[in-house]
Amino acid sequence: MARAQRFRTTATTLAALVAALALFGTGTANAADPKVAPGGNFDLSTWELQEPVGSPGSPTTIPSSRLQGPDGYQDAYFYTDTRDGAMTFWAPEKGVTTPNSHYARSELREMNRDGTAANWSLTGTHRLSATLRVVSVTSNVCVGQIHLGTGGTSTKPLLELYYHANGDIVLGTENSPSGGQTLHTVGHVSLGKTWRYTIGVSGGNTIDVTVDGSTTHYPIASSFQQYKQYFKAGSYNQSSSDSTTKGARVAFYGLTVSHS
């Protein structure tokens, strides 16, 4: 009986260890080190950071080489939360914006490991998965994007995933490279609660979105086929004012990308 009890105890311990390792693999709060920069908890070798500072129309960007490692870059707009280790993005309502947007952002842009900008074809399967919580938001915030790369003149996203102040999670799919967006409510999570999403494309013609285990699919218009794509993630605030204290703060506990 003692041996059986020891076996059950060992099995339980191993199961707990496996579960803990699984959590670490997704970069959850329980596994993150709150004493290091975001690059010490997350693989940022394929990301570059854009912040809501710099000169008008030209926000500051931080290259991957400066983001990586436990002593990597962090500041007031991009930092590790010292309470739970979350990679945190802060985008105030007043900040430097890109020429094609009225809204400030603290946001990662997908890169290749050689430092060039990611720019992949719609063919194949491409996934961006995140575990996160929205800490504060005035109106709504974009927490993930698939954005158009080269292939034409459009500067639009293929899709944007928004979190609204009322808790609704809304997918915006672009109608065409010329513009126009259709909104789809894909989930609901109370402010401050942790949730998960995956945004991606498959087969060259389908958008796949999963929010907390619930998956929906949307067709990709043929007019997008000429364009390459790339992922973005962080806090892209969707409201603006003269306030530097109001805005959107988003905490990430996991962030992974896959291409096949």
Side-chain angles (χ1 to χ4, degrees), residues 154 156 174-180 224:
S154 177
K156 300 294 185 180
E174 207 72 10
N175 297 334
S176 78
S178 299
F224 287 106

Side-chain angles (χ1 to χ4, degrees), residues 199-216:
I199 55 176
V201 297
S202 59
N205 56 13
T206 303
I207 291 169
D208 309 304
V209 177
T210 301
V211 174
D212 280 345
S214 178
T215 301
T216 50

Side-chain angles (χ1 to χ4, degrees), residues 48 72 77 93 101 112 119 155 181 183 187 200 223 257:
E48 131 182 314
Y77 304 101
E93 293 201 336
S101 176
N112 297 315
N119 196 39
T155 60
Q181 196 173 74
L183 301 179
S223 52
V257 169

Side-chain angles (χ1 to χ4, degrees), residues 90-94 103 134-142 163-167 191 235-241 243-250:
W90 163 242
E93 293 201 336
K94 182 180 181 180
Y103 305 129
V134 177
V135 180
S136 62
V137 61
T138 308
S139 175
N140 67 89
V141 56
C142 176
Y163 180 89
H164 287 244
N166 67 356
L191 183 68
S235 175
Y236 178 19
N237 196 3
Q238 298 295 294
S239 57
S240 64
S241 72
S243 175
T244 58
T245 56
K246 294 180 181 179
R249 194 180 308 272
V250 184

Side-chain angles (χ1 to χ4, degrees), residues 25 33-35 78 82 87 94 107 119 140 153 155 166 168 171-173 180-181 230 251:
D33 184 348
K35 298 179 182 179
F78 174 75
T82 57
M87 175 169 61
K94 182 180 181 180
E107 189 179 40
N119 196 39
N140 67 89
T153 59
T155 60
N166 67 356
D168 285 346
L171 176 71
T173 55
Q181 196 173 74
Y230 59 89

Side-chain angles (χ1 to χ4, degrees), residues 1-70:
M1 180 66 69
R3 290 182 63 189
Q5 181 62 44
R6 283 197 299 273
F7 177 79
R8 286 194 294 270
T9 300
T10 301
T12 301
T13 301
L14 287 173
L17 178 59
V18 169
L21 288 173
L23 287 174
F24 183 79
T26 60
T28 61
N30 291 336
D33 184 348
K35 298 179 182 179
V36 301
N41 290 317
F42 294 81
D43 179 5
L44 299 180
S45 61
T46 56
W47 296 100
E48 131 182 314
L49 176 68
Q50 183 181 98
E51 295 201 316
V53 294
S55 56
S58 182
T60 296
T61 59
I62 310 298
S64 171
S65 58
R66 293 183 61 193
L67 297 177
Q68 296 177 55

Side-chain angles (χ1 to χ4, degrees), residues 179-193:
Q181 196 173 74
T182 300
L183 301 179
H184 320 264
T185 300
V186 293
H188 182 92
V189 177
S190 298
L191 183 68
K193 298 296 184 181

